[in-house]
Amino acid sequence: MRIKTACAFLLSMSLLARQPEHARHAMVVVQEPLAADVGLRVLQSGGNAIDAAVAVAFALAVTYPYAGNIGGGGFLLARFADGRTTFIDFREKAPLAATRNMYLDSKGNVTKDSLVGWRASGVPGTVRGMELAHQKYGRKPWAELLDPALKLAAEGFPVSYSFATSLHSENEMKLLSQFPESKRVFLETAHYGDKFVQPDLAATLKRIRDRGASDFYEGETAQKLAAAMASNGGLITLADLKAYQAAEQEPLRGRYHGDEIITAPPPSAGGVGLLQMLGMLEGSGYEKTGAGSAASIHYVAEVMRRFYADRSEYFGDPDFFKVPVRKLLDPRYIASRRSSIDPAHATPSGQIRPGELGAHESTETTHFNIVDNDGNAVAVTYTLNAGYGSGVTVPGLGFLLNDEMDDFAAKPGAENLFHLIQGEANAIQPGKRPISNMTPTIITRDGKLFLMLGAPGGSRIINGVLQVILNVEDFHMNAQDAVDAPRFHHQWMPDMLYVEQGISPDTVALLRAMGHEVSPLEGSSPVVARVETILNAGGWLQGAADPRGNGKAEGY
Ligand code: DON
């Protein structure tokens, strides 16, 4: 008996390679430490998780301009302590003057305009999204939630090593130096160790604090933004800004091993992808060979390959295209997709097509998680798309604009920034939202919060989120180990299995022998997403910041 107990103890120790942050009452996990501190202070001073999320979103717009934003958009998923859930969609929309072929040159080739410069931006949604969340579910006054961001912008904060190196990397220097205001505001001002003060952004935040979101969409900020667009060949007008609404809808729901998965509906492809992939894995026994084994990586990669084939065809803004969610998640369809997986050999992507669904029925970024003392949980992923977005800082306003237009299929069938091939359903139309991969997700067990997570990482987001869920659900890791474990990625096309450092060369050799083309990830994009996680483990909240980034988990 004693031996058995000791062994069980050792076994559990071996699964606890690295401790997550532990707290009894509340937890924040944010990809930038100063913004994490803001969130924790809001919770400790009586704010709820929505209040903290609003304060963190505005703080990140100051301290993490790589992805934190007021010039972009995203998704907020909440599960309240009483079991209610909501999904707030503040995804950017194509301006009214956008046209299907606006990013094609005279020869029909895709240009860089969807990624860089004034024409790359969709109508930003962040400020409206935060306002909607706050008006419906917040507790503290709006102004109090804007104050910490305003202070960080007006008084400045020391530039961290990671901020300085990201800003002054070759790619970002090339992007930002094309635009005089970005050069002045960021490149010439933010240096490692110095205090970074942003007076223009402080003035913008002060107006939003005092006058609400209407300043951004109809007031002085809107007018300055529209005027700058007009004089630089951009498309966003005052009419676009006035018309922008954030939308609240029901999250998507599914189950894995009996736990309830609450996740992102279209215009994210993430939630459908997650549920479809979990559906193919459930009952397959893929996990029997153990975490990180070549056989389990192979099986999961085959599942990924099949979902991403569907992603290329069946996703578009649900206001414009009927996404066949029910059919994509039909257990019989999922079983038929599963039955095409050979557990010993890779199926070349050329042999996998988007599945036959029958007639169609009549979805650089950052993620944060917050749980408050009452058990309310809020997961937010929002973005400018690529790091520092389009590179454009609006003169006098101090914030960067997104390049979310690149998430559309500029030319159906051609690749975008993330090498994703997308179809007609995601072609550009005025007022339409581009399909996203962002996958904020909350999982409950026996009706109680169990796991929450999400990530940046473009097309790799869905697979990053999937693997952390599998590490917890199937391999029983703690939050930190689940996030730390090396990950892999397959997205159908290109037909390539990407592996992070840490997946052993022997494993790679076995995968190659099964027929996979394997490419170790390196260079400027060496990771499969950065997944931020909170796990509720027996009354303790475990917060895990992904070591692939520079985030912080803290609680009380
Ligand atoms: O919505 C999407 O899927 C993309 N705009 C996300 C971009 C992203 O994650 C970039 N960060 N690495």
Side-chain angles (χ1 to χ4, degrees), residues 66-67 75 91 311 364-366 381 383-387 403-404 407 417-418 420 434-438 455-459 461 530:
Y66 184 66
F75 304 132
R91 181 77 165 158
R311 190 198 182 291
E364 215 20 87
T365 310
T366 186
T381 314
T383 186
L384 293 167
N385 193 27
D403 57 352
E404 218 69 62
D407 277 350
L417 171 70
F418 303 111
L420 284 170
I435 279 302
S436 174
N437 303 290
M438 293 185 285
S459 61
I461 291 174
R530 290 200 303 278

Side-chain angles (χ1 to χ4, degrees), residues 49-50 76-81 370-372 375-379 442 449 452:
I50 291 281
L76 179 152
L77 174 69
R79 179 186 183 271
F80 300 102
I370 297 172
V371 178
D372 67 23
N376 302 306
V378 178
I442 295 174
L449 175 70
M452 61 189 298

Side-chain angles (χ1 to χ4, degrees), residues 142-208:
W142 173 254
E144 206 179 312
L145 305 176
L146 270 284
D147 273 338
L150 177 48
K151 192 161 185 266
L152 284 160
E155 294 174 16
F157 60 91
V159 175
S160 67
Y161 176 78
S162 71
F163 179 22
T165 46
S166 114
L167 193 59
H168 296 283
S169 72
E170 202 184 322
N171 281 347
E172 312 303 5
M173 296 263 283
K174 221 168 105 189
L175 174 72
L176 295 168
S177 58
Q178 295 172 55
F179 305 100
E181 186 75 348
S182 299
K183 200 168 163 196
R184 180 182 77 80
V185 171
F186 294 102
L187 293 180
E188 291 170 0
T189 318
H191 298 287
Y192 175 50
D194 289 358
K195 206 168 223 204
F196 178 41
V197 182
Q198 302 173 78
D200 289 344
L201 179 57
T204 301
L205 290 170
K206 186 170 181 310
R207 286 193 301 274
I208 296 172

Side-chain angles (χ1 to χ4, degrees), residues 285-286 289-290 292-303 305-306 340-349 351 488 490 495-497 499 503-518:
Y286 88 94
T289 50
S293 66
S296 72
I297 292 176
H298 160 69
Y299 200 94
V300 176
E302 290 302 310
V303 161
R305 190 198 303 272
R306 282 158 180 77
S340 71
I341 298 175
D342 178 338
H345 298 101
T347 317
S349 288
Q351 291 175 20
F488 51 94
H490 202 302
D495 189 347
M496 184 67 72
L497 177 54
V499 295
I503 293 193
S504 96
D506 296 348
T507 309
V508 169
L510 289 169
L511 288 162
R512 288 195 170 125
M514 289 172 166
H516 289 280
E517 286 269 354
V518 184

Side-chain angles (χ1 to χ4, degrees), residues 92-113:
E92 300 91 326
K93 290 184 177 170
L96 296 169
T99 55
R100 181 188 163 88
N101 296 331
M102 62 186 283
Y103 300 121
L104 301 185
D105 65 16
S106 56
K107 295 200 179 90
N109 296 322
V110 180
T111 65
K112 286 261 169 276
D113 286 4

